Amino acid sequence: MKLTKEIVGTTLGLVFIGSSVFAQSLDDAKKAIDAEQYQKAKSMLKNLTTTQPTKDENFFYLGWVYLQQDYPDSAKAAFNKGIAANAKSAINYAGLGAVAHYNKDAAGAQSNFNQAATLAGKSPEPYVYIAKGYLLDPNPNADAAITVLNKEIGVNAKDPNLFIALGDAYRAQMKSSEAYKAYSTALDLNPKSPSPKVSTGVLWRFANNWEDSEKEFQAAIAIDPNFGPAYREWAETDIRWANKDPKMASAKIQEAVDHYKKFLSLTDMSVESQVRYADFLYSAGRFKELQDVANSLTKYPGVNLKVYRYLGYSAYENGDYATSNTALNTWFSKADPKRVIPYDYYYQGRNTLKAGKDTAAAIQELQKAVQADTTGALSGVYGDIAGVYYAQRKYEQAGDAYQQYATKSNKATLNDYFKEGFSYYFAYGAQLSSKATPKPTPDTTLLVKADSAFAHIQSKLGTTPNSTVTQYRARLYDLKEKDRNNIVGYAKPFYEKFVTEVSGKSSLTDADKKGLAEAYAYLGNYAEYKDKDTAKATEYFTKARDNDPTNAQVQYYFTKKGKPAAGKGK
């Protein structure tokens, strides 16, 4: 369980404990938590809750460890025991509020946070954890965290943890100047803490300032060489650097793995730490290693169920679709529905597509993914949905999906726009030629949508010709004609442009010749029915016949004129 993406993990003064023997004190347990040595901290706190059952803080920190490890039910039970030990335990009410916020229970979160603030007195600690609770995924509320923190800072401006949490909240809002000021204040209040340096390094990472980011991590390690979370944040910075700079990708990904392994060596190698390593491998795109790690973790009783998610994701990426499908089915059947995220539906839908048996179910799963995604990260899924409909010749649905793909993602190519236009064009044609009873009224908005897609392509191409797009624009404008005997000529400029574009080629394909015959036949009809120019009409139809004597309109014209349709071609 993490604070909102890339926000923290390094928010307290972190101190590595190198000894294998730990004094069983709350301070030592808190230091283990700060160092992200969760298994050690949990063992110590379980002992403390037994030997000091009346001390409510023992239960809070045990609950907070559970919450960090994605066990909200266990966390809630611990917080309630803390309140049972002390009915006025502000910090345990803050814990209950955090669990409620994590579970998307806004009313429960607000009630418990209010109670924590009422009972806090002069202690700043409950306010720190109220803010941390507001920043928890999956629905961080940075505004609320900032309000709480600024109010407490107004009466207690000497606690560095308040300022670190404030910096994290501002960082969640991408307010870099405010976050930097808060971290600097925290460092001024406690110059021996490496945490503000690491937090500032993450801030530079947000700005893609890799070099300054690394300098901050190095400065943190200079303060404390065993400051594990500095290596973790450095590893995550390496990954982002690799994703943004292809030239550095290979070196930075390997460096990231090395830094993360260093982080693990400074914490513990518990199952929970291995789950965190799986988190990292997923963000690094190391799917082969991730599948191995996730598969081994499934062997542990009571392991965090998200390892099945990672096994499903990685197996899919590795082409092991059967394993992926089994793992995801396990995840969906056992996980709390509140833990399901859009990517779960995405991979499930992709697996269903690979199976090739139930495309309707696959589309339903992919649609769940994009509907649940509020970030836009999965907007590319509309392209997958469009591709399925397009292959099935469900053209109106395909057109809609391609339009959403183009609108909501930045990945659509001109070919995708062409498929959008093509789909809408053929959807209209299907309505026009439908044999259904009653016959549907063709939806002319489909032609408008098709033309918009084709026009977009031509606007991007500028003066570069694309005769195929020009031809389809001509065809769809021709469909707008209501009466051949009262031809308006909507398609005329497009067919003329098509003739110019194709005639300029050094050599013509059979498709080019058929296209020219189509264009000249249209121009011939326009000359005959609109201009009443028989000679011009014959000239155009002759050119059409020279390119394709089998063209139906050519044959009709010359048969009507009592002349043979055969021509020399060219």
Side-chain angles (χ1 to χ4, degrees), residues 267-289:
T267 54
D268 57 55
M269 289 304 293
S270 65
V271 171
E272 286 78 6
S273 289
Q274 292 180 61
V275 172
R276 287 174 66 87
Y277 186 46
D279 293 337
F280 167 76
L281 290 172
Y282 173 66
S283 67
R286 302 283 286 239
F287 294 111
K288 178 64 175 68
E289 294 160 85

PDB file of all heavy atoms in Angstrom, residues 267-289:
ATOM      1  N   THR A 267      16.757  -3.215   4.171  1.00  0.00           N
ATOM      2  CA  THR A 267      15.491  -3.350   4.903  1.00  0.00           C
ATOM      3  C   THR A 267      15.409  -4.768   5.455  1.00  0.00           C
ATOM      4  O   THR A 267      16.025  -5.096   6.446  1.00  0.00           O
ATOM      5  CB  THR A 267      14.304  -2.998   3.990  1.00  0.00           C
ATOM      6  OG1 THR A 267      14.365  -3.789   2.799  1.00  0.00           O
ATOM      7  CG2 THR A 267      14.338  -1.521   3.606  1.00  0.00           C
ATOM      8  N   ASP A 268      14.672  -5.609   4.808  1.00  0.00           N
ATOM      9  CA  ASP A 268      14.622  -7.026   5.183  1.00  0.00           C
ATOM     10  C   ASP A 268      14.167  -7.798   3.959  1.00  0.00           C
ATOM     11  O   ASP A 268      13.696  -7.220   2.996  1.00  0.00           O
ATOM     12  CB  ASP A 268      13.684  -7.261   6.370  1.00  0.00           C
ATOM     13  CG  ASP A 268      12.274  -6.764   6.090  1.00  0.00           C
ATOM     14  OD1 ASP A 268      11.683  -7.191   5.086  1.00  0.00           O
ATOM     15  OD2 ASP A 268      11.757  -5.934   6.867  1.00  0.00           O
ATOM     16  N   MET A 269      14.332  -9.081   3.974  1.00  0.00           N
ATOM     17  CA  MET A 269      13.939  -9.905   2.830  1.00  0.00           C
ATOM     18  C   MET A 269      12.676 -10.698   3.142  1.00  0.00           C
ATOM     19  O   MET A 269      12.524 -11.847   2.739  1.00  0.00           O
ATOM     20  CB  MET A 269      15.080 -10.846   2.452  1.00  0.00           C
ATOM     21  CG  MET A 269      16.269 -10.124   1.818  1.00  0.00           C
ATOM     22  SD  MET A 269      15.823  -9.142   0.359  1.00  0.00           S
ATOM     23  CE  MET A 269      15.376 -10.453  -0.770  1.00  0.00           C
ATOM     24  N   SER A 270      11.787 -10.079   3.876  1.00  0.00           N
ATOM     25  CA  SER A 270      10.512 -10.712   4.201  1.00  0.00           C
ATOM     26  C   SER A 270       9.661 -10.861   2.945  1.00  0.00           C
ATOM     27  O   SER A 270       9.971 -10.302   1.880  1.00  0.00           O
ATOM     28  CB  SER A 270       9.758  -9.866   5.220  1.00  0.00           C
ATOM     29  OG  SER A 270       9.420  -8.616   4.649  1.00  0.00           O
ATOM     30  N   VAL A 271       8.571 -11.596   3.080  1.00  0.00           N
ATOM     31  CA  VAL A 271       7.646 -11.745   1.962  1.00  0.00           C
ATOM     32  C   VAL A 271       7.137 -10.377   1.518  1.00  0.00           C
ATOM     33  O   VAL A 271       7.030 -10.090   0.320  1.00  0.00           O
ATOM     34  CB  VAL A 271       6.461 -12.661   2.367  1.00  0.00           C
ATOM     35  CG1 VAL A 271       5.392 -12.652   1.287  1.00  0.00           C
ATOM     36  CG2 VAL A 271       6.967 -14.077   2.605  1.00  0.00           C
ATOM     37  N   GLU A 272       6.851  -9.508   2.502  1.00  0.00           N
ATOM     38  CA  GLU A 272       6.347  -8.184   2.178  1.00  0.00           C
ATOM     39  C   GLU A 272       7.362  -7.393   1.358  1.00  0.00           C
ATOM     40  O   GLU A 272       7.013  -6.654   0.437  1.00  0.00           O
ATOM     41  CB  GLU A 272       5.976  -7.415   3.447  1.00  0.00           C
ATOM     42  CG  GLU A 272       4.699  -7.889   4.118  1.00  0.00           C
ATOM     43  CD  GLU A 272       4.877  -9.163   4.935  1.00  0.00           C
ATOM     44  OE1 GLU A 272       6.028  -9.623   5.081  1.00  0.00           O
ATOM     45  OE2 GLU A 272       3.858  -9.692   5.423  1.00  0.00           O
ATOM     46  N   SER A 273       8.656  -7.540   1.702  1.00  0.00           N
ATOM     47  CA  SER A 273       9.683  -6.841   0.938  1.00  0.00           C
ATOM     48  C   SER A 273       9.765  -7.377  -0.488  1.00  0.00           C
ATOM     49  O   SER A 273       9.997  -6.632  -1.442  1.00  0.00           O
ATOM     50  CB  SER A 273      11.046  -6.989   1.623  1.00  0.00           C
ATOM     51  OG  SER A 273      11.097  -6.244   2.812  1.00  0.00           O
ATOM     52  N   GLN A 274       9.574  -8.664  -0.634  1.00  0.00           N
ATOM     53  CA  GLN A 274       9.582  -9.246  -1.976  1.00  0.00           C
ATOM     54  C   GLN A 274       8.386  -8.759  -2.788  1.00  0.00           C
ATOM     55  O   GLN A 274       8.480  -8.586  -4.006  1.00  0.00           O
ATOM     56  CB  GLN A 274       9.581 -10.771  -1.880  1.00  0.00           C
ATOM     57  CG  GLN A 274      10.874 -11.341  -1.303  1.00  0.00           C
ATOM     58  CD  GLN A 274      10.837 -12.860  -1.216  1.00  0.00           C
ATOM     59  OE1 GLN A 274      10.697 -13.537  -2.232  1.00  0.00           O
ATOM     60  NE2 GLN A 274      10.958 -13.391  -0.004  1.00  0.00           N
ATOM     61  N   VAL A 275       7.262  -8.545  -2.098  1.00  0.00           N
ATOM     62  CA  VAL A 275       6.095  -7.980  -2.782  1.00  0.00           C
ATOM     63  C   VAL A 275       6.418  -6.568  -3.263  1.00  0.00           C
ATOM     64  O   VAL A 275       6.057  -6.164  -4.374  1.00  0.00           O
ATOM     65  CB  VAL A 275       4.859  -7.983  -1.862  1.00  0.00           C
ATOM     66  CG1 VAL A 275       3.704  -7.217  -2.510  1.00  0.00           C
ATOM     67  CG2 VAL A 275       4.421  -9.418  -1.559  1.00  0.00           C
ATOM     68  N   ARG A 276       7.132  -5.800  -2.421  1.00  0.00           N
ATOM     69  CA  ARG A 276       7.556  -4.459  -2.833  1.00  0.00           C
ATOM     70  C   ARG A 276       8.503  -4.545  -4.038  1.00  0.00           C
ATOM     71  O   ARG A 276       8.459  -3.682  -4.928  1.00  0.00           O
ATOM     72  CB  ARG A 276       8.242  -3.741  -1.671  1.00  0.00           C
ATOM     73  CG  ARG A 276       7.290  -3.299  -0.578  1.00  0.00           C
ATOM     74  CD  ARG A 276       8.058  -2.730   0.606  1.00  0.00           C
ATOM     75  NE  ARG A 276       8.743  -1.509   0.263  1.00  0.00           N
ATOM     76  CZ  ARG A 276       8.210  -0.296   0.313  1.00  0.00           C
ATOM     77  NH1 ARG A 276       6.950  -0.156   0.685  1.00  0.00           N
ATOM     78  NH2 ARG A 276       8.915   0.768   0.003  1.00  0.00           N
ATOM     79  N   TYR A 277       9.333  -5.548  -4.055  1.00  0.00           N
ATOM     80  CA  TYR A 277      10.233  -5.738  -5.192  1.00  0.00           C
ATOM     81  C   TYR A 277       9.416  -6.041  -6.455  1.00  0.00           C
ATOM     82  O   TYR A 277       9.750  -5.567  -7.550  1.00  0.00           O
ATOM     83  CB  TYR A 277      11.219  -6.866  -4.904  1.00  0.00           C
ATOM     84  CG  TYR A 277      12.289  -7.039  -5.959  1.00  0.00           C
ATOM     85  CD1 TYR A 277      12.983  -5.954  -6.471  1.00  0.00           C
ATOM     86  CD2 TYR A 277      12.616  -8.313  -6.428  1.00  0.00           C
ATOM     87  CE1 TYR A 277      13.971  -6.112  -7.424  1.00  0.00           C
ATOM     88  CE2 TYR A 277      13.613  -8.484  -7.387  1.00  0.00           C
ATOM     89  CZ  TYR A 277      14.283  -7.374  -7.882  1.00  0.00           C
ATOM     90  OH  TYR A 277      15.264  -7.543  -8.828  1.00  0.00           O
ATOM     91  N   ALA A 278       8.338  -6.793  -6.283  1.00  0.00           N
ATOM     92  CA  ALA A 278       7.450  -7.052  -7.419  1.00  0.00           C
ATOM     93  C   ALA A 278       6.833  -5.749  -7.916  1.00  0.00           C
ATOM     94  O   ALA A 278       6.706  -5.534  -9.127  1.00  0.00           O
ATOM     95  CB  ALA A 278       6.355  -8.051  -7.018  1.00  0.00           C
ATOM     96  N   ASP A 279       6.439  -4.861  -6.997  1.00  0.00           N
ATOM     97  CA  ASP A 279       5.941  -3.545  -7.389  1.00  0.00           C
ATOM     98  C   ASP A 279       6.949  -2.841  -8.289  1.00  0.00           C
ATOM     99  O   ASP A 279       6.607  -2.271  -9.331  1.00  0.00           O
ATOM    100  CB  ASP A 279       5.702  -2.656  -6.152  1.00  0.00           C
ATOM    101  CG  ASP A 279       4.569  -3.138  -5.270  1.00  0.00           C
ATOM    102  OD1 ASP A 279       3.693  -3.870  -5.773  1.00  0.00           O
ATOM    103  OD2 ASP A 279       4.554  -2.777  -4.084  1.00  0.00           O
ATOM    104  N   PHE A 280       8.198  -2.878  -7.853  1.00  0.00           N
ATOM    105  CA  PHE A 280       9.257  -2.208  -8.594  1.00  0.00           C
ATOM    106  C   PHE A 280       9.472  -2.856  -9.967  1.00  0.00           C
ATOM    107  O   PHE A 280       9.586  -2.160 -10.983  1.00  0.00           O
ATOM    108  CB  PHE A 280      10.562  -2.240  -7.793  1.00  0.00           C
ATOM    109  CG  PHE A 280      11.753  -1.843  -8.606  1.00  0.00           C
ATOM    110  CD1 PHE A 280      11.989  -0.524  -8.911  1.00  0.00           C
ATOM    111  CD2 PHE A 280      12.629  -2.805  -9.091  1.00  0.00           C
ATOM    112  CE1 PHE A 280      13.082  -0.150  -9.693  1.00  0.00           C
ATOM    113  CE2 PHE A 280      13.715  -2.450  -9.863  1.00  0.00           C
ATOM    114  CZ  PHE A 280      13.948  -1.118 -10.162  1.00  0.00           C
ATOM    115  N   LEU A 281       9.533  -4.175 -10.008  1.00  0.00           N
ATOM    116  CA  LEU A 281       9.766  -4.859 -11.281  1.00  0.00           C
ATOM    117  C   LEU A 281       8.667  -4.543 -12.286  1.00  0.00           C
ATOM    118  O   LEU A 281       8.927  -4.416 -13.483  1.00  0.00           O
ATOM    119  CB  LEU A 281       9.862  -6.374 -11.056  1.00  0.00           C
ATOM    120  CG  LEU A 281      11.115  -6.871 -10.326  1.00  0.00           C
ATOM    121  CD1 LEU A 281      10.977  -8.358 -10.005  1.00  0.00           C
ATOM    122  CD2 LEU A 281      12.369  -6.617 -11.169  1.00  0.00           C
ATOM    123  N   TYR A 282       7.442  -4.394 -11.791  1.00  0.00           N
ATOM    124  CA  TYR A 282       6.346  -4.034 -12.693  1.00  0.00           C
ATOM    125  C   TYR A 282       6.567  -2.637 -13.263  1.00  0.00           C
ATOM    126  O   TYR A 282       6.458  -2.420 -14.476  1.00  0.00           O
ATOM    127  CB  TYR A 282       5.007  -4.108 -11.964  1.00  0.00           C
ATOM    128  CG  TYR A 282       3.869  -3.590 -12.818  1.00  0.00           C
ATOM    129  CD1 TYR A 282       3.480  -4.264 -13.969  1.00  0.00           C
ATOM    130  CD2 TYR A 282       3.191  -2.420 -12.480  1.00  0.00           C
ATOM    131  CE1 TYR A 282       2.459  -3.794 -14.770  1.00  0.00           C
ATOM    132  CE2 TYR A 282       2.161  -1.942 -13.264  1.00  0.00           C
ATOM    133  CZ  TYR A 282       1.804  -2.626 -14.413  1.00  0.00           C
ATOM    134  OH  TYR A 282       0.796  -2.148 -15.199  1.00  0.00           O
ATOM    135  N   SER A 283       6.904  -1.676 -12.400  1.00  0.00           N
ATOM    136  CA  SER A 283       7.131  -0.314 -12.882  1.00  0.00           C
ATOM    137  C   SER A 283       8.334  -0.252 -13.811  1.00  0.00           C
ATOM    138  O   SER A 283       8.394   0.591 -14.702  1.00  0.00           O
ATOM    139  CB  SER A 283       7.321   0.642 -11.704  1.00  0.00           C
ATOM    140  OG  SER A 283       8.517   0.356 -11.003  1.00  0.00           O
ATOM    141  N   ALA A 284       9.289  -1.165 -13.622  1.00  0.00           N
ATOM    142  CA  ALA A 284      10.482  -1.202 -14.471  1.00  0.00           C
ATOM    143  C   ALA A 284      10.244  -1.949 -15.780  1.00  0.00           C
ATOM    144  O   ALA A 284      11.092  -1.927 -16.669  1.00  0.00           O
ATOM    145  CB  ALA A 284      11.634  -1.858 -13.716  1.00  0.00           C
ATOM    146  N   GLY A 285       9.104  -2.620 -15.891  1.00  0.00           N
ATOM    147  CA  GLY A 285       8.836  -3.399 -17.098  1.00  0.00           C
ATOM    148  C   GLY A 285       9.683  -4.652 -17.213  1.00  0.00           C
ATOM    149  O   GLY A 285       9.861  -5.189 -18.304  1.00  0.00           O
ATOM    150  N   ARG A 286      10.177  -5.163 -16.085  1.00  0.00           N
ATOM    151  CA  ARG A 286      11.012  -6.379 -16.086  1.00  0.00           C
ATOM    152  C   ARG A 286      10.098  -7.590 -15.896  1.00  0.00           C
ATOM    153  O   ARG A 286      10.042  -8.207 -14.832  1.00  0.00           O
ATOM    154  CB  ARG A 286      12.063  -6.301 -14.985  1.00  0.00           C
ATOM    155  CG  ARG A 286      12.979  -5.088 -15.078  1.00  0.00           C
ATOM    156  CD  ARG A 286      14.032  -5.269 -16.166  1.00  0.00           C
ATOM    157  NE  ARG A 286      15.066  -6.196 -15.774  1.00  0.00           N
ATOM    158  CZ  ARG A 286      16.350  -5.893 -15.703  1.00  0.00           C
ATOM    159  NH1 ARG A 286      16.766  -4.685 -16.009  1.00  0.00           N
ATOM    160  NH2 ARG A 286      17.232  -6.791 -15.334  1.00  0.00           N
ATOM    161  N   PHE A 287       9.358  -7.924 -16.952  1.00  0.00           N
ATOM    162  CA  PHE A 287       8.284  -8.903 -16.818  1.00  0.00           C
ATOM    163  C   PHE A 287       8.775 -10.337 -16.634  1.00  0.00           C
ATOM    164  O   PHE A 287       8.104 -11.132 -15.976  1.00  0.00           O
ATOM    165  CB  PHE A 287       7.334  -8.792 -18.014  1.00  0.00           C
ATOM    166  CG  PHE A 287       6.592  -7.489 -18.061  1.00  0.00           C
ATOM    167  CD1 PHE A 287       6.858  -6.550 -19.037  1.00  0.00           C
ATOM    168  CD2 PHE A 287       5.653  -7.183 -17.092  1.00  0.00           C
ATOM    169  CE1 PHE A 287       6.184  -5.348 -19.068  1.00  0.00           C
ATOM    170  CE2 PHE A 287       4.965  -5.979 -17.111  1.00  0.00           C
ATOM    171  CZ  PHE A 287       5.236  -5.056 -18.107  1.00  0.00           C
ATOM    172  N   LYS A 288       9.911 -10.661 -17.206  1.00  0.00           N
ATOM    173  CA  LYS A 288      10.436 -12.023 -17.010  1.00  0.00           C
ATOM    174  C   LYS A 288      10.763 -12.248 -15.533  1.00  0.00           C
ATOM    175  O   LYS A 288      10.354 -13.254 -14.933  1.00  0.00           O
ATOM    176  CB  LYS A 288      11.685 -12.232 -17.874  1.00  0.00           C
ATOM    177  CG  LYS A 288      12.337 -13.606 -17.697  1.00  0.00           C
ATOM    178  CD  LYS A 288      11.391 -14.711 -18.157  1.00  0.00           C
ATOM    179  CE  LYS A 288      12.046 -16.083 -18.111  1.00  0.00           C
ATOM    180  NZ  LYS A 288      12.325 -16.551 -16.747  1.00  0.00           N
ATOM    181  N   GLU A 289      11.480 -11.294 -14.944  1.00  0.00           N
ATOM    182  CA  GLU A 289      11.810 -11.412 -13.526  1.00  0.00           C
ATOM    183  C   GLU A 289      10.559 -11.315 -12.661  1.00  0.00           C
ATOM    184  O   GLU A 289      10.432 -12.021 -11.658  1.00  0.00           O
ATOM    185  CB  GLU A 289      12.802 -10.319 -13.138  1.00  0.00           C
ATOM    186  CG  GLU A 289      14.158 -10.462 -13.806  1.00  0.00           C
ATOM    187  CD  GLU A 289      14.930  -9.163 -13.806  1.00  0.00           C
ATOM    188  OE1 GLU A 289      15.593  -8.888 -12.797  1.00  0.00           O
ATOM    189  OE2 GLU A 289      14.879  -8.439 -14.814  1.00  0.00           O
TER     190      GLU A 289
END
